[in-house]
Amino acid sequence: MMTNRIWQFGLAGVALMALMTGSAFAYLPEGKTFRERAGSAASLGMADVASDPTAQTLKSMLDIVPGKETFLEKRDRAAMAEFYAERNYEPVWMVGGRLSPAAKSIMTTIAGAASDGLDPAAYSLPLASIGESVPAGPNLSAAVELMLSEALLHYARDAYAGRIDPASLGKLVTIKPLLPDSVGVLTTVSTAADAGAAVEALNPPHEGYRRLKLALAEQRKLNPGPAPEPVAEGKLLKVGVSDPRVPQLRARFGLAAPATDPNTYDEALAEAVRGFQAGKGLKADGAVGSGTLAFLNNEGKDNTAEIIANMERWRWLPRDLGTFHVEVNIPEFMVRIVDDGKIVHETRVVTGKVTNQTPIFSDEMESIVVNPSWNVPASITMKEMLPNVRRDPSYLSRKGYQVLANVGGKMRPVDPGMIDWSTASARNIQIRQPPGDDNALGSIKFLFPNEHSVYLHDTPSKSLFQKDVRAFSHGCVRVQNPMEFADVLLAYQGGWTPQRLRKMVGGRESWVNLPKHIPIHLVYFTAVVDDSGELKTLPDIYGYNARVERALHL
């Protein structure tokens, strides 16, 4: 009965129950491990386990099957059972009734989890003073042993894969973090020369994460006051425009109000705005539109929660992003090619609008298509194409679209005039735009087959790249300089020159299969630290950062 109650309260309860037993402080001879007491460096045999009180208690505790536990708790318990069985239940953290140096190092690292944006209170640790004055007996030693192993495995999961399930943010977040190998964690940490460093290494190894960790430490030193009142949305503010928001905007930049026309946007304010825009990588035109306003309203706030939420999202990524890989940061509207940790190419992108969001996931780029046809997705066919053609039967022909219909079980080209558009649906027709100057995909697209049917591509709508907030697509990612982007990708493959690629443009649809697939990561980071060490916060265009903050109770 008591053993069942022990597991109901976790391993902290195990320690408490052990203290309540009469033999809680029976102990081994000082400084002696179980192996030494057996007189051999070899692992304990089952006979040794049966005669050794601590090993016997440890085995008994691990044999208990709780009445109720989560999947992760069951996973950890199975890992501990396997790990200790392999070493015949000899403790690794409690040596001779005292916490080993490795155990103390682990506890110090876990107690400092806040530096990695984690919550130290989430991990139940034994008292550091256990066994110092009087070595702990078998029951307490076994309880402390399991308590620390449980805390280590809990920390490992949080540090390695994050505290929340990415899928809980929405159906377009399909990145799948991998849980650490629990037995591997126990083995690696217990055999490491520096156990604390081995625990710390469970956190993401990426440079972006490391920079955010430093930024978190700096932010906590600042102790910022209340954030300035945000400037409300409204019409475009530029020189000569009169607006009641102008005095508030002027105050944000520390500018004195003019003696006359305080509501009029003047050149002094425009110059201050240009400096702000230039520092944020925005178009420095001195006017305040929705893009500049979004960045401005991010200034002056306490960024602690935002940094921690972004550190959480770094944990979702693969540990190995690929020596040569592509990163699209959706709220930054940028794509970068990274080679051996260095950015070798970057350019602006247009991502999905709020109603057609670009998904978040990792995949591999497999091919490049020159002069692509555009097979209109079913969602666009239903929401946009069919309503247009029902209003204007000549719409598709005028725009140069082709129509394919299900004829005899196969999709075949048909005359749009032969279709009954009042009953047509995406189930029985396919609308396609052939290659050409007006093709929505431009002259090139980059494919990485995925469940969302999104990809990177060129676009004839070049003007959108001049905007600061570039969320305008139906979900795919439009690349500002796609040919230069392709040049860098194909140079990695070998045997390709810019001239060879450009000779293909303007002809028939051509596929270039990439012998070396390229990892690509569509990520969502609203807090990034640049090479100069400056923290930049970006508009949370899809609201994902706010959702992560709420889920983490920040």
Side-chain angles (χ1 to χ4, degrees):
M1 187 67 180
M2 178 174 286
T3 54
N4 288 332
R5 288 178 56 80
I6 286 173
W7 275 106
Q8 288 176 13
F9 292 100
L11 291 176
V14 171
L16 180 60
M17 292 295 182
L19 285 170
M20 293 169 60
T21 67
S23 58
F25 286 94
Y27 58 91
L28 293 172
E30 186 172 347
K32 293 289 186 180
T33 67
F34 297 129
R35 289 182 184 177
E36 291 169 337
R37 195 175 74 169
S40 171
S43 296
L44 291 172
M46 290 311 294
D48 299 308
V49 173
S51 62
D52 187 279
T54 303
Q56 188 177 27
T57 302
L58 189 58
K59 183 180 186 304
S60 296
M61 288 181 174
L62 286 167
D63 285 341
I64 298 169
V65 178
K68 200 172 187 181
E69 60 183 341
T70 66
F71 166 76
L72 293 175
E73 289 169 343
K74 184 182 295 185
R75 185 176 183 271
D76 286 352
R77 182 171 57 81
M80 288 190 289
E82 180 180 339
F83 172 75
Y84 284 106
E86 287 177 353
R87 54 183 293 109
N88 292 312
Y89 303 96
E90 181 182 8
V92 291
W93 317 127
M94 288 295 288
V95 178
R98 292 182 169 88
L99 288 166
S100 69
K104 291 181 178 180
S105 181
I106 294 167
M107 290 165 62
T108 298
T109 300
I110 294 178
S115 65
D116 279 289
L118 301 174
D119 180 10
Y123 316 109
S124 298
L125 295 172
L127 293 174
S129 60
I130 285 178
E132 284 189 355
S133 57
V134 178
N139 288 8
L140 183 57
S141 291
V144 170
E145 180 76 20
L146 294 185
M147 178 183 284
L148 186 50
S149 288
E150 184 182 62
L152 172 59
L153 293 182
H154 186 177
Y155 177 93
R157 289 199 313 271
D158 290 353
Y160 196 98
R163 289 179 279 173
I164 62 175
D165 180 1
S168 66
L169 299 185
K171 62 182 181 180
L172 293 178
V173 183
T174 55
I175 194 164
K176 296 178 174 63
L178 295 176
L179 290 170
D181 175 5
S182 299
V183 175
V185 168
L186 292 170
T187 302
T188 299
V189 175
S190 65
T191 57
D194 185 337
V199 174
E200 176 62 35
L202 291 163
N203 289 285
H206 313 114
E207 176 64 13
Y209 176 88
R210 187 191 69 81
R211 292 181 179 186
L212 282 179
K213 181 176 178 177
L214 294 175
L216 177 61
E218 289 300 315
Q219 183 68 38
R220 284 172 167 158
K221 291 178 186 176
L222 293 177
N223 191 24
E229 188 71 23
V231 180
E233 291 278 357
K235 63 184 178 182
L236 179 69
L237 298 176
K238 58 183 180 179
V239 174
V241 169
S242 180
D243 190 285
R245 296 173 296 160
V246 169
Q248 182 188 7
L249 193 60
R250 192 177 280 118
R252 290 289 295 270
F253 288 102
L255 300 176
T260 59
D261 297 327
N263 285 358
T264 299
Y265 197 98
D266 58 15
E267 183 56 41
L269 181 53
E271 185 60 30
V273 170
R274 288 190 196 98
F276 174 79
Q277 291 169 325
K280 296 297 180 183
L282 305 175
K283 182 180 179 182
D285 58 7
V288 177
S290 59
T292 297
L293 200 58
F295 280 86
L296 185 64
N297 285 335
N298 264 335
E299 291 291 297
K301 68 176 185 179
D302 182 348
N303 292 312
T304 302
E306 182 153 12
I307 293 171
I308 292 173
N310 278 266
M311 292 171 76
E312 169 76 5
R313 293 196 291 282
W314 271 108
R315 303 181 196 280
W316 302 346
L317 289 174
R319 304 286 282 193
D320 182 3
L321 299 177
T323 303
F324 186 91
H325 67 270
V326 175
E327 293 179 16
V328 177
N329 189 14
I330 296 166
E332 193 180 10
F333 310 109
M334 293 293 294
V335 62
R336 296 180 175 90
I337 301 175
V338 180
D339 187 7
D340 198 20
K342 297 180 180 178
I343 298 171
V344 294
H345 182 79
E346 64 180 2
T347 189
R348 292 184 166 201
V349 298
V350 169
T351 59
K353 49 193 172 184
V354 175
T355 53
N356 298 91
Q357 298 176 10
T358 298
I360 300 168
F361 65 102
S362 292
D363 212 296
E364 288 188 343
M365 191 180 295
E366 299 180 5
S367 53
I368 297 174
V369 184
V370 185
N371 311 311
S373 296
W374 181 40
N375 294 311
V376 182
S379 59
I380 299 178
T381 296
M382 296 300 295
K383 293 178 183 178
E384 299 178 27
M385 294 294 186
L386 292 183
N388 283 332
V389 76
R390 285 164 183 161
R391 286 191 297 266
D392 176 8
S394 66
Y395 174 81
L396 294 177
S397 299
R398 285 191 298 102
K399 295 290 185 178
Y401 288 100
Q402 299 172 341
V403 178
L404 293 84
N406 191 334
V407 179
K410 292 185 178 180
M411 299 301 287
R412 304 180 187 276
V414 297
D415 182 348
M418 303 298 292
I419 301 290
D420 180 0
W421 293 105
S422 65
T423 59
S425 74
R427 291 190 298 274
N428 51 35
I429 65 163
Q430 169 71 62
I431 298 175
R432 180 171 65 192
Q433 188 180 32
D437 293 339
D438 295 329
N439 187 280
L441 305 185
S443 33
I444 192 167
K445 69 177 178 179
F446 308 86
L447 295 182
F448 37 102
N450 58 83
E451 64 185 280
H452 305 287
S453 299
V454 302
Y455 39 85
L456 274 61
H457 64 85
D458 184 16
T459 176
S461 304
K462 304 294 186 183
S463 62
L464 295 178
F465 293 110
Q466 303 309 311
K467 296 184 177 294
D468 293 328
V469 176
R470 297 184 290 278
F472 297 106
S473 82
H474 286 90
C476 287
V477 178
R478 306 175 190 173
V479 182
Q480 182 176 23
N481 298 306
M483 300 309 290
E484 290 84 351
F485 181 73
D487 289 341
V488 179
L489 296 178
L490 289 173
Y492 172 68
Q493 304 296 318
W496 280 88
T497 64
Q499 294 77 17
R500 180 183 173 189
L501 179 65
R502 282 156 182 75
K503 284 181 182 178
M504 298 169 65
V505 175
R508 60 183 178 81
E509 181 174 284
S510 301
W511 285 61
V512 179
N513 294 320
L514 304 179
K516 293 186 283 188
H517 291 181
I518 301 170
I520 180 168
H521 310 282
L522 278 67
V523 298
Y524 193 93
F525 292 122
T526 60
V528 295
V529 179
D530 62 22
D531 290 341
S532 68
E534 180 183 358
L535 174 69
K536 294 197 306 181
T537 57
L538 306 166
D540 186 13
I541 56 173
Y542 298 161
Y544 286 142
N545 196 75
R547 277 179 249 176
V548 172
E549 289 185 20
R550 287 194 297 271
L552 295 177
H553 306 291
L554 299 175

